[in-house]
Amino acid sequence: MTPDDEACFEVVVIGGGQAGLAASYWLTQRGIRHVVLERARIAEAWRSERWDTFCLVTPNWQCRLPGFPYDGSDPHGYMSGAEVVEYIAAYARSFGAPVREGVSVHEVTYGDEAGRFTCLTSEGTFLAQHVVLAIGGYHVPVIPEFASEIPKGIVQLDAASYRNPSALPPGEVLVVGSGQSGCQIAEDLHLAGRSVHLCLGPAPRSPRMYRGRDVVAWLEDMGHYDTPIESFADQDAVRRKTNHYVTGRDGGREIDLRARALEHLRLYGYLRTIEDGRLVLADDVRMRLDQADDTYMRIRAMIDAFILERGISAPEPSPYLPCWIPGETPTTLDLADHGISAVIWCIGFRQDFGFVKLPVTDERGEIMHQRGITPVSGVYVLGLPWLYTWGSGRLCGVGRDAAYVVEHIANG
Ligand SMILES: Cc1cc2nc3c(=O)[nH]c(=O)nc-3n(C[C@H](O)[C@H](O)[C@H](O)COP(=O)(O)OP(=O)(O)OC[C@H]3O[C@@H](n4cnc5c(N)ncnc54)[C@H](O)[C@@H]3O)c2cc1C
């Protein structure tokens, strides 16, 4: 079947999240004929892959999709999931983004003699000179093989499928992983009165407010969010680092796991494996809390140095003393003995670009690119964490990447 003109575009953008829409904005500015194919609804990840009490961790003023910076009444607040959906949907409306919702792309291949790419979709075939992959970077939750050792009656979820405490069966809950999602989900359950066990990982933590301002504001002034990935010696390590834990909940605050431990949220070391319904754990709670605090203190020291260097007038540093020091912690935990009825895996996600039948992925299945430009001429990617800067996978930085990619398309 030859697609009619209606299905031939200069650019097909796959994904109607913030990255796809930012690309669409710049394509629209340049008058480039394109379509955005979205398998579900605009901003679907924010609608269906976040828990009910989700709030942004980054302040609202940092939401700056191109041509549509946040201009609401609460710039120093942290939008709820529903507010983010509305912000992104309003963005699409603001420039009449040509989005087709409910169109799932099943395959992207080399196309016809004219060198166009073929996108096979649930609504037929689309041809394009250029394809922008804007499907986010969190596709498949990482679940270890030993998860199969968990007894059948225990519910297993991941950070994208967890919704709220009452959706879980009665009983105690195990959260594995202490990155942004793991800590916030563990707190969500704890604050709802559930008994929570949390296995720690390598995540660092961040202060929320320091010396009178949100830490994000200091880091922004320090150029932290403009630092390109090329300036790091080990780019792979930077891309793999777990995000700092801190929250936008309750108007924004720190997450202090030591304080939560005093309230009986039970902390454990790294989960090594599961054997016969028993967790096998490292005895490293103290080391992991100390390491998270080291980063916390390092961020404060960087801000102190910046304030000193620039002669900025700011409130004096607030003292920090750990409120709880763990002793020896259990190295095994029997799920049944503790009446654990649910396990929530929060140990990350991996990419899945398998529907792109072009040589754009490496041996790990991860997409190869230089600032969004893949090895296949005419194929681009946007929206990955650290695609170019820290903000590339976020509402603050994706616009710059999209501008760069669209300029490449326009000049190509
Ligand atoms: C827990 C969590 C907290 C976060 N907190 C913040 C924060 O505080 N601040 C911040 O700025 N960022 C935050 N982010 C990061 C980031 O903003 C989101 O990951 C964001 O959703 C990425 O936008 P995107 O457009 O790149 O991808 P997505 O939002 O994932 O959009 C991709 C779209 O592509 C569609 N799609 C996928 N495959 C296909 C296909 N084959 N065919 C058609 N459509 C397809 C999907 O339905 C989806 O709508 C957070 C992320 C997570 C996971």
Side-chain angles (χ1 to χ4, degrees):
M1 183 185 95
T2 311
D4 57 25
D5 279 352
E6 290 233 318
C8 298
F9 292 89
E10 210 165 319
V11 183
V12 164
V13 179
I14 305 175
Q18 68 218 26
L21 293 170
S24 178
Y25 173 83
W26 291 119
L27 291 164
T28 303
Q29 294 297 302
R30 288 177 181 263
I32 297 175
R33 185 164 181 268
H34 69 283
V35 67
V36 180
L37 303 180
E38 165 54 50
R39 69 178 168 198
R41 296 161 293 176
I42 286 172
E44 185 61 32
W46 296 100
R47 296 175 196 265
S48 60
E49 294 173 19
R50 309 282 183 265
W51 53 95
D52 292 354
T53 58
F54 175 88
C55 292
L56 286 181
V57 164
T58 50
N60 295 339
W61 57 260
Q62 223 190 22
C63 295
R64 41 175 174 241
L65 292 175
F68 203 68
Y70 175 86
D71 70 350
S73 59
D74 190 17
H76 299 290
Y78 310 86
M79 281 189 239
S80 68
E83 287 167 334
V84 179
V85 170
E86 183 40 40
Y87 170 64
I88 294 175
Y91 181 48
R93 290 193 297 273
S94 72
F95 62 93
V99 182
R100 296 206 192 162
E101 292 182 308
V103 180
S104 188
V105 180
H106 300 316
E107 197 171 293
V108 180
T109 55
Y110 287 118
D112 59 4
E113 308 78 50
R116 295 180 294 193
F117 295 99
T118 302
C119 301
L120 301 179
T121 82
S122 54
E123 300 293 318
T125 300
F126 289 74
L127 293 178
Q129 305 286 357
H130 307 269
V131 173
V132 177
L133 305 166
I135 59 167
Y138 306 111
H139 304 144
V140 184
V142 175
I143 312 281
E145 264 181 37
F146 58 71
S148 61
E149 295 295 317
I150 293 177
K152 293 279 171 284
I154 296 178
V155 169
Q156 293 190 54
L157 296 173
D158 56 71
S161 56
Y162 168 76
R163 286 292 156 275
N164 58 55
S166 55
L168 301 183
E172 305 197 356
V173 186
L174 171 72
V175 178
V176 185
S178 55
Q180 252 182 37
S181 300
C183 283
Q184 291 181 56
I185 289 172
E187 272 205 335
D188 192 44
L189 290 156
H190 173 75
L191 293 171
R194 299 293 292 256
S195 227
V196 181
H197 305 258
L198 174 64
C199 294
L200 303 182
R205 80 180 184 110
S206 170
R208 176 81 275 171
M209 300 296 291
Y210 187 58
R211 303 202 64 178
R213 297 171 83 201
D214 193 314
V215 161
V216 173
W218 287 119
L219 294 178
E220 166 117 346
D221 289 356
M222 289 156 70
H224 185 76
Y225 302 123
D226 294 325
T227 311
I229 186 79
E230 289 108 51
S231 60
F232 295 90
D234 189 348
Q235 298 178 16
D236 211 35
V238 171
R239 288 196 166 116
R240 276 168 212 293
K241 256 194 201 154
T242 314
N243 279 319
H244 301 66
Y245 58 86
V246 58
T247 184
R249 192 166 170 169
D250 305 328
R253 57 172 169 72
E254 293 179 5
I255 296 179
D256 185 352
L257 292 179
R258 297 178 195 269
R260 293 298 182 206
L262 289 174
E263 299 166 0
H264 308 299
L265 190 156
R266 275 155 292 175
L267 302 181
Y268 302 91
Y270 193 80
L271 175 59
R272 294 191 199 285
T273 189
I274 302 177
E275 286 166 0
D276 303 325
R278 283 159 70 89
L279 310 188
V280 179
L281 302 149
D283 179 19
D284 59 5
V285 174
R286 183 170 183 163
M287 183 271 282
R288 292 195 180 275
L289 290 176
D290 286 349
Q291 275 185 352
D293 274 1
D294 287 348
T295 307
Y296 176 91
M297 295 308 286
R298 210 165 31 244
I299 293 171
R300 288 166 49 124
M302 277 163 47
I303 295 170
D304 290 339
F306 180 72
I307 288 171
L308 192 66
E309 186 192 300
R310 298 286 170 102
I312 297 168
S313 159
E316 284 303 302
S318 44
Y320 172 68
L321 264 183
C323 63
W324 178 73
I325 311 281
E328 228 171 83
T329 49
T331 51
T332 62
L333 181 79
D334 191 291
L335 293 164
D337 284 357
H338 283 272
I340 290 174
S341 63
V343 176
I344 305 173
W345 297 103
C346 302
I347 54 173
F349 289 82
R350 62 178 176 77
Q351 297 177 4
D352 182 4
F353 285 92
F355 72 99
V356 184
K357 307 294 182 199
L358 300 165
V360 291
T361 49
D362 63 17
E363 64 288 350
R364 295 176 298 197
E366 294 190 359
I367 198 141
M368 299 179 287
H369 68 89
Q370 280 291 328
R371 206 171 166 180
I373 299 165
T374 78
V376 173
S377 175
V379 179
Y380 303 86
V381 63
L382 283 172
L384 302 179
W386 278 106
L387 183 121
Y388 179 57
T389 62
W390 178 90
S392 289
R394 293 182 168 77
L395 291 152
C396 63
V398 70
R400 166 169 42 196
D401 296 346
Y404 182 81
V405 157
V406 169
E407 187 173 352
H408 198 271
I409 290 172
N411 295 336

